Amino acid sequence: DVQYPTLERQPSHYNPLDTFKLAKGDQKHYQQQYGDIYFLRLAKLKPAVEALADEEWKDFEIAGEKVRRVDRVLDVRQGELCWVAGTVYMDMPLKPNILDDISKDHWIAAPPPREKYISPTGQDQTMLEDESGRLRLIGTALQLSMLVTGCIIAVMGTENANGDFEVVDMKVPDLPRQPQRWERDEASEVMSNGKGSKRRSSGEQKRTGMGKVAIVSGLGISGDKGDTLTLDLLMEYLLGEACGPSEQADVSEISRLIIAGNSISEGTPLAIREEEKKASRKYGYDASAYNPAPTTHFDNFLATLLPSIPITLIPGSDDPANVSMPQQPIHPAMFPRSRNYAAMPDSTEAGWFDSVTNPWEGDVEGWRLMGNGGQPIDDIFKYVEGDERLEMMESVLRWRCGAPTAPDTLWCYPFQDKDPFVIEECPHVYFVGNQPRYETVVIEGPVGQAVRLISVPKFKETGELVLLDTDTLETEIVKFNVFESVS
């Protein structure tokens, strides 16, 4: 008999953060005003962008006139060369309007959602606002930069006779401080020791042979038979059942699977018989129209993988989670089989199956990862020309705001004390799920930060799985195709 070596999967060193978790029960309120989020964001990011602008423009002169700093937007004076910081507001007539939403009740059919908010007649205006007021921005410098509602910037220029501010130059906060690899884990080890000395029993093991992390999004499970073949190929590949010995050795290096949103296809209720339609339903809800097949199929998919590989599950716009950002973890009641691998409700440690928020950030193999299910980037896409997703992702990091258009056109919770979308520490890897295609690039910051950006495509449309090497942070694609015979 031929003896085959036994392969063991690489262990996963996983330390998630609870940045986007909301309070539960009576501690979560929706009576607050959403405007407070903008003031919290401005208060947090204004010092950073002002420090950058002051260093860049402190000796700037035009025609012998030296630029001066202005504290508030309304302190700008006509004809004076100055710079000021504030929040961008895009005044776009085609953006959604709450009054239009209310009037939908009187429409025969609601209009389809717009692909872009950009006005074809040039009616869009860029504003800069703070607690004092609002100022309209003009100039060619704006055409060269990507701007959306909610980002914090500093602009230099002069106010003209029409009261518009002609922008000469512009600055954004840029990438924040980036933690060192294993920094947070080592700090936890020091605190757990209590004497300031790090334990080295397993610390050295963490620095070698880190393996890979698999990232997939847009599984789009509907429960139909058409889903099964490609998903089965993905499942068998991750389990090492669909490849030879050499490929199995490569698969064993995959230490964790991250599912980045839209695991379940958009809800399709079951067909209702004519006589059932006549029966009145409480609150308009019809339990008989609920289709359990997608969640059941997805639960079976997870339960098959979990004995072999740990999974981080991020919800998306089509998943059974709250619609507003940040989306909270999908409830374990949706996974009667898979929830056995999750942590206990009061546990401080993450389980083998970790259902997390959207957006999410955490440390995987010592690297800081941050990602979402795609909604923030999809919303930014509606504000700008073109479809350069990596440029949008880079701008999000340089703005230091993970969801700048929330709450203007992206629904979110009305935070009162802190804006969790402000990026306080720069990640090493930033991934976004449910994008049109796979793309990746490494961007650099002003003090040596380096971030790997990954645009993760929809698996149901492309059959692509992204593998991230946790030693080099290089990426590769594994593509699954089903070939149909030509009759």
Side-chain angles (χ1 to χ4, degrees):
D1 294 340
V2 179
Q3 297 293 325
Y4 294 98
T6 301
L7 296 174
E8 293 186 2
R9 191 177 294 278
Q10 281 282 352
S12 175
H13 302 286
Y14 179 67
N15 193 358
L17 287 163
D18 294 332
T19 309
F20 302 99
K21 280 197 174 179
L22 300 177
K24 295 182 180 180
D26 297 337
Q27 298 179 355
K28 185 164 57 176
H29 304 286
Y30 288 88
Q31 289 82 21
Q32 309 96 315
Q33 291 295 321
Y34 284 89
D36 292 340
I37 299 178
Y38 291 118
F39 296 125
L40 291 169
R41 189 178 301 170
L42 181 61
K44 183 70 177 179
L45 294 178
K46 190 175 181 179
V49 73
E50 284 185 336
L52 193 65
D54 185 61
E55 181 180 357
E56 185 72 18
W57 298 331
K58 59 183 178 182
D59 298 323
F60 188 84
E61 292 184 7
I62 293 181
E65 181 183 3
K66 190 172 182 180
V67 67
R68 70 180 185 90
R69 175 192 168 191
V70 173
D71 291 329
R72 303 187 310 159
V73 163
L74 291 189
D75 292 337
V76 173
R77 295 292 177 262
Q78 183 177 328
E80 292 186 359
L81 181 64
C82 62
W83 66 267
V84 63
T87 306
V88 172
Y89 175 74
M90 303 298 292
D91 187 5
M92 310 174 83
L94 298 185
K95 279 197 309 184
N97 189 305
I98 184 61
L99 298 178
D100 292 338
D101 293 340
I102 294 173
S103 64
K104 283 180 183 178
D105 294 337
H106 305 288
W107 294 346
I108 296 175
R114 301 183 188 276
E115 184 179 356
K116 293 276 191 180
Y117 299 145
I118 301 172
S119 172
T121 57
Q123 299 179 23
D124 301 333
Q125 298 182 10
T126 303
M127 306 286 187
L128 187 73
E129 64 179 18
D130 59 12
E131 65 278 359
S132 68
R134 184 179 289 179
L135 184 67
R136 188 169 75 159
L137 306 179
I138 61 172
T140 56
L142 297 179
Q143 311 300 324
L144 305 176
S145 304
M146 181 179 293
L147 291 176
V148 299
T149 294
C151 57
I152 310 299
I153 64 171
V155 291
M156 178 184 64
T158 58
E159 186 181 57
N160 62 21
N162 297 325
D164 300 330
F165 192 84
E166 296 184 6
V167 178
V168 176
D169 197 7
M170 185 184 73
K171 294 296 176 185
V172 297
D174 218 325
L175 302 184
R177 171 192 175 273
Q178 188 175 54
Q180 296 293 321
R181 188 181 184 186
W182 301 111
E183 178 180 307
R184 184 161 156 258
D185 297 83
E186 290 177 348
S188 300
E189 289 177 2
V190 171
M191 292 186 66
S192 63
N193 259 359
K195 296 183 179 180
S197 61
K198 291 185 288 186
R199 290 193 297 255
R200 288 294 182 182
S201 58
S202 60
E204 294 300 329
Q205 182 185 357
K206 292 181 180 179
R207 276 70 176 167
T208 59
M210 290 302 108
K212 300 175 182 179
V213 173
I215 308 174
V216 70
S217 71
L219 295 176
I221 297 175
S222 64
D224 298 334
K225 292 183 179 179
D227 290 341
T228 56
L229 192 50
T230 311
L231 282 172
D232 285 348
L233 287 174
L234 172 63
M235 180 174 62
E236 291 174 4
Y237 171 79
L238 293 171
L239 293 174
E241 298 174 355
C243 43
S246 60
E247 290 82 4
Q248 286 178 339
D250 294 336
V251 172
S252 68
E253 295 181 357
I254 301 175
S255 61
R256 176 168 292 273
L257 172 65
I258 298 176
I259 303 176
N262 288 4
S263 304
I264 296 173
S265 65
E266 193 170 357
T268 52
L270 296 174
I272 307 174
R273 292 178 299 187
E274 195 64 33
E275 57 270 18
E276 292 179 344
K277 290 183 181 180
K278 299 177 182 179
S280 60
R281 304 295 179 183
K282 190 173 184 181
Y283 307 121
Y285 172 71
D286 186 359
S288 64
Y290 170 66
N291 184 4
T295 52
T296 301
H297 193 170
F298 184 43
D299 183 31
N300 293 336
F301 172 80
L302 295 175
T304 305
L305 289 174
L306 280 167
S308 174
I309 184 171
I311 296 175
T312 298
L313 175 62
I314 300 173
S317 58
D318 295 341
D319 291 324
N322 59 300
V323 176
S324 60
M325 304 292 284
Q327 287 182 290
Q328 296 305 285
I330 301 177
H331 199 280
M334 305 300 293
F335 310 110
R337 294 184 61 197
S338 306
R339 66 186 177 193
N340 296 325
Y341 297 88
M344 298 297 291
D346 297 329
S347 175
T348 57
E349 298 290 331
W352 194 259
F353 172 49
D354 194 19
S355 181
V356 298
T357 60
N358 174 28
W360 168 84
E361 63 177 347
D363 294 346
V364 181
E365 315 305 340
W367 302 109
R368 176 66 51 82
L369 269 63
M370 184 173 71
N372 60 65
Q375 296 99 312
I377 301 301
D378 291 342
D379 202 54
I380 291 173
F381 163 78
K382 299 178 181 180
Y383 282 80
V384 299
E385 299 279 1
D387 189 19
E388 298 298 328
R389 300 299 173 120
L390 289 180
E391 185 181 351
M392 300 175 202
M393 294 169 62
E394 179 180 357
S395 297
V396 161
L397 294 181
R398 297 198 186 277
W399 293 331
R400 297 195 193 182
C401 187
T405 59
D408 185 31
T409 52
L410 185 65
W411 293 354
C412 78
Y413 179 78
F415 294 99
Q416 296 296 295
D417 303 321
K418 179 182 179 182
D419 180 7
F421 300 121
V422 172
I423 302 172
E424 299 190 14
E425 288 189 323
C426 181
H428 299 98
V429 178
Y430 177 45
F431 63 90
V432 176
N434 301 291
Q435 297 306 292
R437 58 196 169 274
Y438 162 73
E439 295 177 298
T440 184
V441 72
V442 175
I443 64 169
E444 297 181 353
V447 291
Q449 305 100 317
V451 188
R452 165 71 65 179
L453 308 182
I454 307 174
S455 169
V456 185
K458 299 176 183 177
F459 181 82
K460 189 169 185 177
E461 297 178 2
T462 64
E464 293 178 346
L465 171 75
V466 180
L467 296 182
L468 172 69
D469 190 309
T470 54
D471 188 26
T472 64
L473 294 186
E474 294 292 329
T475 60
E476 60 181 302
I477 282 289
V478 179
K479 189 173 180 66
F480 301 87
N481 270 334
V482 178
F483 296 96
E484 299 180 358
S485 60
V486 179
S487 55

